[in-house]
Amino acid sequence: MRVRLAVLASLVIAAIGLAVSALVWFGALEIPGEHEPRIATEHVIDPATGEVRMTIPQKDGIVTLLSGPKVPVTLPQGFSLFPASRVLGNSQVKRSGGGQDTLVTFEADAPAADVIAHYRDQAQAAGFAVSLEAETGDTRIFVGERGGTKLTATATQGTPTTGQLIIAARPTG
């Protein structure tokens, strides 16, 4: 039982680290500077599911993070998960000032090129401009932008193919 709890705790910590890193990268979270006051966050970890709920005060309001493998995936209109993919982790971030960020890790029994084509086609249909499309080794990446929204999809060829979808949606205006 202790080993199982230690593994669960390690996975939860890794999920939080990945989600927070992505949020900082996409500009959803601001890290206080050296001379800025630090504001306490609140977080709860559900021991049964490993789901993490975190509330993070920011200058412009409250950021709420919900992360875990069983968190329902909510994507913007026009986007869907790759067919028959299995969600490994999902982080949803909502800002009180508007906008939502999503970070989904998944696996699929399909070529990485097909996974990327799925997200590229959806992004282009939704009016996203292609910022980057690249292949390095077994990994493919697609990056698109539309107004204040950025989308990044990666897929690494394997058995199964592993992927990640990040959509950082900012309110316009």
Side-chain angles (χ1 to χ4, degrees):
M1 183 64 171
R2 284 186 181 188
V3 170
R4 187 174 186 196
L5 286 175
V7 169
L8 178 61
S10 296
L11 291 173
V12 167
I13 290 168
I16 291 171
L18 179 63
V20 169
S21 295
L23 295 173
V24 170
W25 176 260
F26 277 97
L29 281 182
E30 297 173 2
I31 303 298
E34 183 179 339
H35 301 290
E36 294 181 73
R38 304 223 179 239
I39 302 171
T41 62
E42 297 177 17
H43 69 278
V44 175
I45 301 172
D46 183 331
T49 65
E51 180 180 281
V52 176
R53 293 182 187 158
M54 187 179 295
T55 303
I56 308 163
Q58 297 281 283
K59 287 183 215 174
D60 299 335
I62 302 292
V63 175
T64 305
L65 165 71
L66 186 59
S67 185
K70 296 181 181 181
V71 171
V73 176
T74 305
L75 299 175
Q77 185 175 0
F79 290 94
S80 63
L81 289 175
F82 185 81
S85 59
R86 296 170 297 280
V87 174
L88 303 175
N90 180 29
S91 296
Q92 299 285 324
V93 177
K94 294 182 182 179
R95 287 175 300 289
S96 59
Q100 176 175 312
D101 300 334
T102 302
L103 185 153
V104 181
T105 55
F106 60 91
E107 56 186 23
D109 297 322
D114 293 353
V115 172
I116 293 301
H118 172 80
Y119 293 113
R120 179 190 339 98
D121 293 348
Q122 288 183 345
Q124 289 178 322
F128 281 68
V130 177
S131 299
L132 172 71
E133 190 161 359
E135 180 178 351
T136 176
D138 292 337
T139 301
R140 293 176 180 256
I141 185 169
F142 170 81
V143 179
E145 293 184 54
R146 181 189 70 198
T149 301
K150 296 179 185 179
L151 175 143
T152 301
T154 60
T156 302
Q157 189 65 49
T159 309
T161 292
T162 57
Q164 185 176 71
L165 175 66
I166 302 171
I167 302 176
R170 302 290 182 272
T172 56

